[in-house]
Amino acid sequence: MSKEEANIADDQLRELAREAWKCRDHAYVLGNTKVGAAAMSNDGSIFVGCNVEHRFRCHDVHAEVNAITSMIAAGRTKLIAILIVTERENFTPCGSCLDWIFQFGGPSCLVACQSREGGKIKVFHAQDLMPYYPV
């Protein structure tokens, strides 16, 4: 997908990536995978989140959900983009996180992923990742 299709500028994507990597440093993990996320609301505000793992793993908080709920806590309810970072190749948000993305961003919400700082940013729309999601 081109940046024109994504409807967000390259400099905005790079800013989201910088913020997500900074937040990733604060991840609290019991395993090996630190994740950071940066969500952009429709007014251009950026909200960050990282994964927080709990000793009873069913209570883990994913970075995407952390960023989206921070956006909601600040009074914004329209997600236009979210960028997720982790040091893993070929990853996208899990189904549960996509539920949150669809709820607040809809099928055309931009979802971007980066596997190393300064690396290529892969860009999708939410509907690309879950084409049969009921909207």
Side-chain angles (χ1 to χ4, degrees):
M1 171 182 307
S2 70
K3 68 179 178 184
E4 292 79 22
E5 290 173 294
N7 200 22
I8 189 169
D10 279 341
D11 60 330
Q12 289 175 303
L13 279 175
R14 285 191 302 275
E15 182 180 3
L16 285 170
R18 277 191 303 274
E19 294 302 318
W21 282 107
K22 281 194 277 184
C23 190
R24 179 187 171 273
D25 290 340
H26 302 293
Y28 182 89
V29 297
L30 303 172
N32 297 321
T33 305
K34 289 185 171 189
V35 182
M40 182 178 285
S41 63
N42 62 333
D43 69 354
S45 297
I46 296 174
F47 303 90
V48 295
C50 60
N51 58 327
V52 180
E53 295 179 350
H54 190 274
R55 66 184 178 141
F56 304 125
R57 299 303 305 266
C58 63
H59 300 304
D60 290 352
V61 177
H62 292 191
E64 299 92 317
V65 174
N66 197 326
I68 292 168
T69 56
S70 292
M71 181 188 81
I72 300 302
R76 311 310 195 288
T77 58
K78 182 62 180 157
L79 176 69
I80 63 163
I82 189 162
L83 192 141
I84 305 98
V85 300
T86 190
E87 292 178 335
R88 280 185 30 208
E89 293 296 323
N90 299 320
F91 72 93
T92 59
C94 72
S96 178
C97 290
L98 281 165
D99 282 342
W100 285 87
I101 292 166
F102 269 90
Q103 180 167 333
F104 293 102
S108 62
C109 183
L110 181 132
V111 180
C113 304
Q114 189 179 47
S115 60
R116 68 181 183 283
E117 282 188 79
K120 180 180 172 156
I121 297 173
K122 296 178 183 177
V123 180
F124 309 92
H125 285 121
Q127 66 190 6
D128 299 332
L129 300 173
M130 287 183 78
Y132 302 109
Y133 192 87
V135 288

